[in-house]
Structures are given as C-alpha cells and as structure tokens.
Amino acid sequence: MFQSSSQGFDGQGYAAVGGARALTLVKPSRFSLVDSPFGGAVDRIVGADLVVDLGARIGSREWFQGLFTCLALCTAAGMMAPTFKPVRFAAEAPLAPTQYEQARALAIAPLGLGGDTGHRMAGTSAVEPLTDTPERPRVELAATIGQGDGFARVLERAGVSRAEAGKVASLVSDAVPLNDLSAGTHMDMVLGRRAVKTDPRPLESLDFRARFDLKLAVQRVDGQLRLKRIPIAVDNTPLRIQGRVGSSLYQSARAAGVPGSAIESFIKAVSQKLAMRSIGSDARFDAIVEHARAETGEVKVGSLLFAGITQGGKKTQMLKWTTGGRDQWYEASGVGETRGVMRQPVLGRLTSSFGLRRHPILGFSRMHQGMDFGAPMGAPIVAATDGVVSFAGRHGGHGNYVRLSHSGGISTGYAHMSRIIARPGERVRQGQLIGYVGSTGMSTGPHLHYEVFRNGKAINPSSMKFTTVQQLAGRDLANFRAKLNKLLSVRIANGGGEKKVKKSAEVKAEKAKKG
C-alpha cells in the first residue's frame, strides 16, 4: 500500500489510495463519518455489492444478499403497482323510432338490403328557416330502382311525399305491374316549387322505360298527375346466323355472333340426334335466335329458336316447340324426344336399396321392391318425373300411398306418407309436390319407400333411365310446320343479311310512327 497526494487544476487536493493492482482517486469531503458512531455501518452499506449475479457463487453470502435485494425490489414494485378497476358510465337511452329512422337514413348501406338509406329529409318545425334564402323553382333528379327495391320507396328517397308517391305508383300499376319493373330501371324526374320550405316538393314530371316496347310519363296537368303511355315500335324479326363448324363449333358460332347461352342450347338440341364427335369441320351450322330491335336503337337478343347442322348433304333440324307448358326440341318431322333420369323424390339419405333384405318388422328375408330414403317427418315429396296420379290413398302395408303412371308403361310409387297432396286423375309435373314424409303402414320410422315399375314389374330405381318420344299430329303438327317454314324464310344475318334486318326494323318503326 502507498499513499500520495496531488493538486488538481482547481486547487483542490486529491488522495490516491491503491494497492499493487489498482489506483483509486478519492476526493476529500468536508464532512467525514470516520469519527461517527455509525461510520462502520455506513461503510459496509456503501461497500456492499447490491448487483449480484444470481447465476454465480450460488449459496454464498453475496448470493443471498443479491436474492434478498431482488425479492425486496419485486415486493416494493408490487406494492406500488396501481389497481385497475372498470370505469362505469351511465348507459345511453335507446333512440326513439323517429330518431333511429333519421340516423339510418343518413347512413350508407348496400342496395342489396333494400337501398332505403340516403333519404333527402326536409327540416322539421324545430329548424328555424332563414328568411332570405333563395330556393330553386325546379329540381331535376335521376333515380334507379335497386335490387329488391320498391317503386314508391324510390320516389320517397328522391324527396316526393309519401302520399304523392303512392298516387304515382297507383297510376303506373294501371299500365304495368310494379313487380315487372326490373332492377336497374332508370327514372328521370322533376320536382317543382313548394309553398313551405319544410314541405316535400311536388312532383312535376316522371319519365322511365317500363318495358322494352313501352315508355311511361307522369306529368302534372292543371294540378293533377296524369299518366301518358308512349309505345315504342319494335321489330321482332329473328336473327339467323350460319357458318362453318371448323375446329370448334362453340368458337365458330361465337365468332359468328351467336350468344353464348344460345350456343349451349344449340349443342343440347343437336346432341339429341347427333354425336358431337361425329360433326366434321366442313359441316355448317344454322342458328336462329330471338331478336328484337327498338326504334330507339336498343337491341335485345333472346333464346334459341332453331338449331340445324348440314353435313354431307344430310340436314339435322331441331325446332323449339311448347307442349303442355314446357319447351321441348322437335325434329322437322314433328318428333320430339326427352331423355334423362328420374329425379330423387325427397331430400334424404339412402337407408335401404333395391334387392333381397331382412324385413325389420316381419323378421324374415324377402324382396325389397324399391329404395328407402330416410328424411325428417313432414319433409316434402315430389314427383320423380311427369305423370298422372293413378292412385292416392291407403294401401295396406304401404300406408298412405301414391302411384303415378308415366309414358312407356312406367309407373312410380311413394309409400308411408304422413299426408297426401296429389289427387287421383291429376296430371303432375316433375318436381311437383305430391305429399309429405311420414311413418304410416308397416314402418319403423319416418322415411319414403320409393319404387319404380315397368309394365307392372318392379325394377331398380337407381338404374332407371327414360326416353320419352312424342309425335305431333293434327293441328299441332300443322302449326309446328308453319312456324318452321316461317323461321327458315328468315334471311341470313351474315354479310348483307344484317343490313336487311336493320332496314326491316327501320321500315316497321316508320310505319308505327305514321300509324
């Protein structure tokens, strides 16, 4: 040990105390605790190492001091930690119905929910109007009927009073049903001057296109609203398109101008008589679709009316014809075919298939002449295909039972119904409701026993496929051929044919104006 002293730059003295390895400069203090009775304790506290590595010298005195220090600091921090309690506020009173309607009217919501937001609300009596505020005498607006929207609601949102909107809706309904107005219908309206600024503006005029061939106008004449019908001349000449099949019938027909939906119907119709693979690239297609052109220039293309394929001098011609309220494709000779499979008569799971099985009630094996579908009590049962009700009532172990007769010696049976809807002698369509699932007769639970017979012999319903052939005769055949000849006389739209169709539309529109 050695000790030395020196003078610093500020004139103060420093004492250097150190050993062989360290030299420490200690600044002398004016007050010393050397002579104090607590001097030794203070020196020990000052010299204690409070930051101890608890991972080293475990179990030593210094380690326990560090552990005690850590616990003390954690305890102090926990005691000083603030308490968290929920802050309670008084619940706001719910909005009154009128307040809720006003708040919702100013919101933004999708048109799919009805489009009843964005109202133009007039000020109430609580609003003090300005005395010298100028107001436009007329307001021109445009509105559109949204999906699932109402005609009167569109007028109310535009600022028309509820009473006047109902009156306009009543006038329009005399010309066309309001439900027939399609979503997206554009309306132009003019609102006039009002006597009091807090009142809704009166409707001066309203114009919109109700149908492709009809425009409606509502105008105020001598203080009363009047409806005016403005017919639009429409040329309904079908559109006929021909072309070469080439590498792809779909692509060739699409490139020639046939709509996509009409091409799909074309392929379905032609495939009833021809295999699509057998149609060569040199074959020619002939498609006739519904086509309407208004005098205002709009064009509307409808469904396919005629489908034809010419290959190697052989023609395949299919014409759409309506029989019994259903559209069906017929050959040029008047013969029509319907191919397909019978529809599952109920939505449920298959619990028992066709074949030999052990009867759950009788306890011995016997032939199960149908299929069982497990379904909830009261589930709807529909006809598997078109037919006539030959029996409807109680039928032994079948319980409530319905049998339908179909063409070609085919009949279907539906057993264990809880309630029968069909009536004997009634003609039903495929998918039409005939009864409800039950557990009548020899049944262990609610299900449908469904069976199919051919010439009185039970067959497996899952393998049943049918082809219905119909031959037109008499007046139906004459009308069919007249329609076919009329369509085949339509000029081809390719090349100059389109110009002729346009010219025909213009001529008819001119005649309608003169008439």
Side-chain angles (χ1 to χ4, degrees):
M1 300 289 291
F2 63 90
Q3 181 175 357
S4 63
S5 64
S6 62
Q7 294 293 327
F9 293 101
D10 57 356
Q12 296 181 356
Y14 285 84
V17 180
R21 298 182 180 178
L23 178 63
T24 304
L25 297 178
V26 180
K27 182 178 178 181
S29 176
R30 295 180 180 179
F31 177 76
S32 177
L33 293 177
V34 176
D35 299 332
S36 174
F38 302 102
V42 172
D43 291 340
R44 286 193 299 272
I45 294 174
V46 172
D49 186 6
L50 298 179
V51 183
V52 178
D53 184 4
L54 297 180
R57 302 192 305 275
I58 298 176
S60 63
R61 181 177 180 181
E62 292 80 2
W63 185 87
F64 279 106
Q65 290 178 357
L67 178 63
F68 175 76
T69 303
C70 180
L71 294 176
L73 292 175
C74 293
T75 303
M79 294 176 63
M80 291 186 294
T83 58
F84 296 94
K85 295 182 179 179
V87 180
R88 301 185 181 276
F89 297 93
E92 300 231 354
L95 294 176
T98 56
Q99 295 174 334
Y100 174 78
E101 289 296 331
Q102 290 183 357
R104 191 173 186 275
L106 299 177
I108 299 175
L111 292 178
L113 299 180
D116 53 355
T117 57
H119 292 271
R120 292 179 173 83
M121 296 183 299
T124 63
S125 58
V127 178
E128 182 178 352
L130 298 177
T131 56
D132 298 331
T133 304
E135 188 176 41
R136 289 184 294 174
R138 300 169 75 248
V139 177
E140 298 180 1
L141 298 172
T144 304
I145 299 179
Q147 188 71 32
D149 208 350
F151 180 80
R153 292 173 61 186
V154 176
L155 299 180
E156 291 180 28
R157 287 202 304 270
V160 181
S161 65
R162 178 172 298 182
E164 198 162 76
K167 185 182 299 184
V168 174
S170 178
L171 291 174
V172 172
S173 63
D174 294 338
V176 293
L178 297 180
N179 294 332
D180 292 348
L181 298 178
S182 59
T185 300
H186 181 81
M187 298 188 297
D188 295 319
M189 64 184 72
V190 177
L191 303 182
R193 187 187 295 274
R194 52 189 174 182
V196 182
K197 293 182 179 180
T198 56
D199 293 341
R201 287 178 175 268
L203 180 67
E204 291 293 334
S205 64
L206 172 66
D207 298 285
F208 66 97
R209 192 164 186 163
R211 289 197 311 260
F212 190 72
D213 60 346
L214 179 63
K215 184 178 179 181
L216 296 180
V218 178
Q219 296 178 347
R220 187 176 295 275
V221 180
D222 298 332
Q224 298 294 328
L225 293 174
R226 308 289 184 186
L227 177 67
K228 181 180 180 181
R229 296 176 175 86
I230 306 174
I232 301 173
V234 177
D235 177 23
N236 292 309
T237 303
L239 180 64
R240 186 176 186 182
I241 301 175
Q242 291 183 351
R244 182 173 171 270
V245 172
S247 60
S248 172
L249 173 60
Y250 184 90
Q251 294 179 0
S252 300
R254 197 74 181 92
V258 182
S261 58
I263 299 176
E264 296 177 3
S265 301
F266 186 98
I267 295 175
K268 291 180 180 178
V270 173
S271 61
Q272 294 183 8
K273 289 300 177 183
L274 295 176
M276 299 307 296
R277 294 181 179 179
S278 65
I279 301 177
S281 58
D282 293 332
R284 298 190 61 83
F285 65 86
D286 188 0
I288 302 178
V289 296
E290 295 177 341
H291 185 269
R293 181 184 295 275
E295 63 176 334
T296 52
E298 295 84 2
V299 174
K300 184 170 70 172
V301 180
S303 59
L304 182 70
L305 300 175
F306 173 84
I309 290 289
T310 303
Q311 183 174 227
K314 183 179 180 181
K315 293 184 178 181
T316 300
Q317 297 177 333
M318 305 295 294
L319 175 66
K320 183 190 291 186
W321 187 253
T322 303
T323 56
R326 173 176 294 183
D327 293 335
Q328 186 175 339
W329 288 99
Y330 282 79
E331 296 180 66
S333 60
V335 177
E337 290 185 0
T338 302
R339 300 179 183 180
V341 296
M342 289 191 175
R343 174 176 175 175
Q344 182 174 317
V346 69
L347 292 178
R349 68 186 189 282
L350 180 64
T351 57
S352 183
S353 57
F354 181 87
L356 190 66
R357 69 160 189 177
R358 182 179 180 85
H359 197 278
I361 296 179
L362 300 178
F364 57 86
S365 297
R366 72 173 187 175
M367 187 66 180
H368 185 230
Q369 297 184 348
M371 301 171 64
D372 290 344
F373 294 96
M377 179 70 73
I381 302 172
V382 299
T385 187
D386 299 350
V388 178
V389 181
S390 59
F391 180 85
R394 199 76 181 182
H395 190 263
H398 286 152
N400 291 332
Y401 180 76
V402 171
R403 174 168 285 199
L404 304 180
S405 298
H406 314 283
S407 60
I410 302 298
S411 61
T412 55
Y414 312 81
H416 308 306
M417 292 184 179
S418 61
R419 186 157 63 98
I420 297 175
I421 301 299
R423 296 291 178 263
E426 179 184 4
R427 181 175 294 275
V428 295
R429 311 289 298 183
Q430 185 181 41
Q432 181 177 335
L433 181 68
I434 59 174
Y436 297 95
V437 171
S439 185
T440 56
M442 297 179 63
S443 171
T444 58
H447 73 285
L448 170 67
H449 173 75
Y450 169 61
E451 52 192 14
V452 179
F453 300 91
R454 177 184 286 131
N455 298 325
K457 183 179 180 181
I459 60 175
N460 190 351
S462 62
S463 62
M464 180 61 189
K465 294 184 179 181
F466 64 90
T467 300
T468 303
V469 180
Q470 295 180 352
Q471 172 67 59
L472 298 178
R475 182 176 295 274
D476 290 337
L477 182 59
N479 295 334
F480 174 84
R481 289 176 176 173
K483 181 180 179 180
L484 178 61
N485 294 332
K486 183 179 179 181
L487 289 177
L488 293 179
S489 64
V490 175
R491 294 180 180 273
I492 302 172
N494 298 18
E498 179 67 16
K499 297 180 181 179
K500 294 178 181 179
V501 173
K502 293 181 180 178
K503 185 176 180 181
S504 175
E506 295 173 358
V507 171
K508 290 186 178 181
E510 189 65 26
K511 289 181 179 180
K513 288 182 179 179
K514 293 180 179 180

